[in-house]
């Protein structure tokens, strides 16, 4: 079964499409967190970031790079929060990779990404060293 975003790509359900090329598309979020809240997707259906092939990932970033200033200028935003919820446990509701571009305004109360958590994780130096080693060995 295709995702709701694939149905938008196919024109089966309406959306306010603001950009489209061969491999990517951008459209307004149906439940905007701020005026101009835009989603950028690969047209093909991939659930998680690392399911996206490298060439499509490059196209996706190019579209994000194009859309951030377009969105900011259109709604006179001071900044943007640009984010992916990557996986269900991270809050991803639609299993089709999408980048949120959320316009931000001074005093909008949204806070930084750090506001999602109560505070920094309690980790000792040796744990941080081990984690860094594990990540480095896989990079
Ligand atoms: P997620 O929580 O998966 O990161 O974000 C999914 C986003 O898709 C939400 O912000 C939600 O408002 C948006 N959304 C869900 N269904 C539709 C839809 O049918 N059309 C559009 N334009 N946005 C949608």
């Amino acid at each position: 079964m295709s995702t709701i975003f694939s149905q938008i790509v196919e024109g089966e359900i309406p959306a306010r499409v603001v950009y489209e090329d061969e491999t990517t598309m951008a459209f307004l979020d149906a439940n905007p967190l701020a005026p101009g809240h835009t989603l950028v997707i690969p047209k093909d259906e991939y659930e998680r970031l690392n399911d996206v092939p490298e060439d499509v990932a490059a196209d996706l970033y190019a579209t994000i790079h194009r859309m951030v200033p377009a969105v900011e200028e259109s709604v006179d935003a001071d900044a943007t929060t640009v984010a992916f919820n990557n996986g269900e446990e991270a809050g991803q509701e639609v299993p089709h990779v999408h980048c949120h571009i959320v316009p931000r305004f001074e005093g909008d109360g949204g806070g930084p990404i750090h506001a999602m958590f109560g505070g920094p994780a309690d980790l000792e130096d040796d744990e941080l060293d081990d984690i860094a080693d594990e990540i480095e060995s896989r990079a």
Side-chain angles (χ1 to χ4, degrees):
M1 207 184 95
S2 67
T3 66
I4 196 131
F5 294 164
S6 290
Q7 293 173 54
I8 289 174
V9 170
E10 296 303 324
E12 293 166 4
I13 62 170
R16 291 186 172 86
V17 176
V18 293
Y19 177 76
E20 181 174 5
D21 60 26
E22 204 178 319
T23 53
T24 70
M25 182 182 257
F27 49 86
L28 295 189
D29 194 294
N31 305 290
L33 296 172
H37 182 170
T38 296
L39 301 174
V40 182
I41 64 165
K43 284 183 169 177
D44 286 344
E45 212 168 280
Y46 306 102
E47 185 165 344
R48 290 204 183 198
L49 275 175
N50 279 75
D51 299 330
V52 181
E54 269 188 35
D55 57 336
V56 179
D59 292 347
L60 186 64
Y61 187 80
T63 300
I64 294 165
H65 189 267
R66 169 190 284 258
M67 296 312 298
V68 164
V71 169
E72 288 184 357
E73 289 166 23
S74 297
V75 296
D76 204 19
D78 300 311
T80 35
T81 292
V82 181
F84 292 86
N85 292 322
N86 191 36
E88 198 176 342
E89 296 80 2
Q92 183 180 358
E93 291 175 344
V94 179
H96 184 147
V97 166
H98 51 282
C99 174
H100 292 263
I101 303 175
V102 185
R104 300 297 305 269
F105 302 89
E106 192 179 352
D108 66 11
I113 194 168
H114 296 76
M116 293 196 309
F117 297 84
D122 188 16
L123 294 162
E124 302 295 332
D125 276 348
D126 58 345
E127 291 176 284
L128 291 168
D129 290 341
D130 288 346
I131 292 166
D133 287 345
E134 293 289 344
I135 295 172
E136 188 182 23
S137 72
R138 290 170 171 80

